Each structure stands twice: as structure tokens, then as C-alpha cells.
Amino acid sequence: FLRVIKFTLDTKDYGLLIKPKEPDGPNWDLVMSTDSDYAGDKDNRICVTGFILYLCGVAISWKSKGQKSVTLSSSEAEFVALSEVAKDVKFVVQILLSMGIAVKLPVIVRVDNVGAIFMAENVTTSTRTRHVDVRYHFVREFVEDGFIKITFARTTENTAGIFTKNVTGELYDTQTASILS
């Protein structure tokens, strides 16, 4: 509790800088970073999903939320986070299109877990991934349809990391600088 108060006092002069980058063409860029911790809650082992969505380089949406079920690996936790993010991306794209704003496809989704990327891009399942709930596999359809493109982002470059776990002061400063600039 005291850390929250100290953080609030230390960052009272911070704010969001809303200065969009000029689109390359008629279509606007959407980029999303997603992250998940693995079994971070010591009581119930629920993972936390975090994401941040950028429209033309400006953070427009972010969330940190506990997952609905316990996952059995860090790759599965990241894959579940990716599926939650994909639903939000679809919603934002539909809103932009209904407003007459063309969106550049595929939407780039940054993930820092190679196993989650593999599960999203490959149809095959193994004994290790067979238990992943079917409701999360629609992400694969988004990839196949060219709606999203999943790219690897190192943990140090993944701005969604601050929504899921405690990070070092240096990493926090780096990630918040990229969000706020």
C-alpha cells in the first residue's frame, strides 16, 4: 500500500503525450504489445494478462487483468493473453472502420514468448499443448486470415511487461519512456 502512495507522489507530474505519428499512407497503424506473468499470484496461481494498444504510435488502450483460469505453462499463459488481446484488437478495428478510418492490416501484435507464437501460428498440437482450451485457438484463424501478425519482442522491449509483473527501475523507466513519447 505504501509503495502505491509513494509511486503516486513520485509520478504526479507525469502525463500522456498524445502526439501521433503521421500515417505512411491512407491506412492507420495499430500495434499491440502483450505480456503475461506465469502463476504470479501465490494464493491461486492465476496469471496476469497485460497489454497496450498503440494507434499511430499513441497509447489508446491498456489493461492489466487476472486470467480466468490457471494455466500450466508460461507459453500457455502467454497464448491465453494473446487470445484476449486479439479480441480487443478486433473490436478496435471494427470501431475504426465504422468511423470510416482505414486500418493497416495485418495488425502487429508483439509477444515475448516463442512458444505462444508457435501455438498461434501452427495447427499441430502435441501432448504438451493439447490441453489448451479450444476457445483460444481463434487466434490462429486471425493469423491465417492476415488480420494479425505476431512478432517476437524481447522482454526488455515489450512495453506490456509493466502491466504484469514488477520490473526493475531501469526497465520501468525505459518502458514508460517509450509509452509516454
Side-chain angles (χ1 to χ4, degrees):
F1 178 72
L2 293 176
R3 284 192 301 180
V4 173
I5 292 173
K6 181 179 179 345
F7 176 81
T8 304
L9 293 173
D10 290 347
T11 59
K12 67 182 176 199
D13 296 326
Y14 285 17
L16 289 177
L17 176 63
I18 301 177
K19 186 177 177 185
K21 296 175 185 170
E22 195 67 32
D24 292 338
N27 298 345
W28 291 17
D29 287 342
L30 268 177
V31 176
M32 178 164 280
S33 289
T34 181
D35 197 15
S36 175
D37 75 339
Y38 174 60
D41 187 326
K42 294 192 186 322
D43 295 329
N44 59 19
R45 295 299 179 193
I46 295 290
C47 301
V48 174
T49 294
F51 74 81
I52 186 163
L53 176 62
Y54 299 93
L55 177 63
C56 294
V58 175
I60 62 165
S61 178
W62 53 89
K63 183 189 295 185
S64 179
K65 182 179 179 183
Q67 293 181 356
K68 295 178 183 172
S69 60
V70 175
T71 54
L72 302 178
S73 69
S74 60
S75 292
E76 183 182 349
E78 295 276 357
F79 186 63
V80 170
L82 178 60
S83 69
E84 293 300 318
V85 163
K87 289 190 283 189
D88 284 355
V89 167
K90 184 73 170 174
F91 177 72
V92 170
V93 168
Q94 288 174 338
I95 288 176
L96 292 171
L97 293 175
S98 72
M99 294 175 10
I101 298 170
V103 177
K104 183 177 175 181
L105 294 178
V107 174
I108 303 299
V109 179
R110 296 185 201 141
V111 178
D112 64 0
N113 186 286
V114 176
I117 295 171
F118 182 82
M119 283 191 272
E121 293 179 344
N122 294 286
V123 177
T124 60
T125 59
S126 69
T127 55
R128 291 181 164 203
T129 60
R130 192 176 309 149
H131 64 278
V132 177
D133 199 320
V134 177
R135 71 176 170 238
Y136 302 120
H137 288 286
F138 69 90
V139 172
R140 192 174 302 126
E141 290 180 20
F142 282 179
V143 171
E144 290 171 0
D145 294 342
F147 179 71
I148 64 172
K149 179 180 179 184
I150 303 168
T151 61
F152 179 77
R154 287 191 162 95
T155 301
T156 56
E157 300 165 356
N158 190 349
T159 54
I162 61 174
F163 295 107
T164 61
K165 55 186 105 34
N166 292 330
V167 295
T168 65
E170 181 181 329
L171 186 56
Y172 173 81
D173 291 339
T174 302
Q175 291 183 348
T176 55
S178 64
I179 292 170
L180 299 175
S181 61

